[in-house]
């Protein structure tokens, strides 16, 4: 039996281009949320969870409007966080990113992600489908966990606003990434949140 995790980054929020980490959804973010809801329609979700921050909460609310059968629940395990700190094997190019990050933030993020993996990276007795609406770093950490990659490898795993990533967890085999940063439901002008522009 398979436990499927459908990971969706929240929609674009207002002033995201100015480096703010949260806020109300922009008009583009609302359109993104409606389109990913349409993309997910018909899937038999057993649970729908979202980060309690504003952008993912609003994204979840838009999904619930389009998919009346779901009842999104906030989860502190899906908060935006710093999943790990610098490690000796981390490429030097990433070290500068930690300049404004405190040790407390790193410890809290490590604990949160440890609990999140324990919560959701569990096999199911029958097929299970969970939708998690969260943040780029959390999705990056889950992908890293699926590949059992070094801790620092969540960095550089970037997903667009409302992009779809799917991970399959089974009891007898390693987890597998079924889809990563799937943008098929988004027209080019709505593909925001990535560090570089995508080719048309």
């Amino acid at each position: 039996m398979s436990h499927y995790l459908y990971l969706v980054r929240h929609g674009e929020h207002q002033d995201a281009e100015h480096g703010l980490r949260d806020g109300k959804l922009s008009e583009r973010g609302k359109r993104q949320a409606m389109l990913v809801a349409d993309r997910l329609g018909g899937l038999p979700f057993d649970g729908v969870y979202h980060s309690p921050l504003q952008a993912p909460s609003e994204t979840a609310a838009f999904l619930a409007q389009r998919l009346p059968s779901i009842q999104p629940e906030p989860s502190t395990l899906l908060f935006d966080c710093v999943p790990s700190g610098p490690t000796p094997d981390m490429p030097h190019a990433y070290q500068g990113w930690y300049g404004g990050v405190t040790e407390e933030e790193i410890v809290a993020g490590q604990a949160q992600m440890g609990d999140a993996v324990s919560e959701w990276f569990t096999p199911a007795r029958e097929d299970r489908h969970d939708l998690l609406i969260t943040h780029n770093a959390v999705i990056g950490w889950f992908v890293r966990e699926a590949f059992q990659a070094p801790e620092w490898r969540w960095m550089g795993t970037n997903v667009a606003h409302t992009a779809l990533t799917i991970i399959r967890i089974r009891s007898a085999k390693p987890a597998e990434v079924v889809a990563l940063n799937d943008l098929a439901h988004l027209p080019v002008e709505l593909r925001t949140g990535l560090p570089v522009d995508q080719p048309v």
Side-chain angles (χ1 to χ4, degrees), residues 2 21 32 39 51-53 80-81 84 95 119 123 129-130 135 147 156 168 172 183 196:
S2 297
R21 296 177 69 179
Q32 291 164 343
R39 173 80 183 275
S51 163
L53 293 179
D80 199 8
C81 68
S84 69
Q95 291 179 358
E119 177 72 19
H129 302 262
D130 286 326
H135 305 271
F147 287 131
R168 180 186 183 198
L183 305 174
V196 295

Side-chain angles (χ1 to χ4, degrees), residues 2-16:
S2 297
H3 183 185
Y4 292 94
L5 300 179
Y6 299 82
L7 308 173
V8 171
R9 186 181 178 188
H10 60 78
E12 179 191 67
H13 59 273
Q14 294 176 5
D15 298 323

Side-chain angles (χ1 to χ4, degrees), residues 15-80:
D15 298 323
E17 67 272 18
H18 301 301
L20 297 182
R21 296 177 69 179
D22 191 34
K24 292 182 179 180
L25 291 183
S26 66
E27 290 305 311
R28 278 194 304 198
K30 293 174 184 177
R31 289 180 61 202
Q32 291 164 343
M34 288 187 285
L35 289 169
V36 76
D38 292 343
R39 173 80 183 275
L40 296 170
L43 287 172
F45 290 119
D46 298 287
V48 179
Y49 307 93
H50 64 88
S51 163
L53 293 179
Q54 188 169 13
S57 296
E58 288 190 10
T59 303
F62 270 94
L63 266 69
Q65 289 175 16
R66 305 283 276 209
L67 307 172
S69 64
I70 69 171
Q71 297 181 334
E73 301 176 36
S75 172
T76 56
L77 297 180
L78 298 174
F79 264 128
D80 199 8

Side-chain angles (χ1 to χ4, degrees), residues 140-189:
W141 185 262
F142 279 12
V143 170
R144 182 220 63 80
E145 180 69 23
F147 287 131
Q148 288 294 288
E151 284 192 0
W152 62 268
R153 206 61 190 89
W154 65 273
M155 305 180 80
T157 302
N158 298 294
V159 296
H161 293 121
T162 71
L164 177 62
T165 295
I166 305 171
I167 296 175
R168 180 186 183 198
I169 296 126
R170 296 167 292 176
S171 57
K173 296 180 180 179
E176 61 183 6
V177 177
V178 177
L180 175 61
N181 195 40
D182 186 335
L183 305 174
H185 52 287
L186 297 174
V188 173
E189 67 271 17

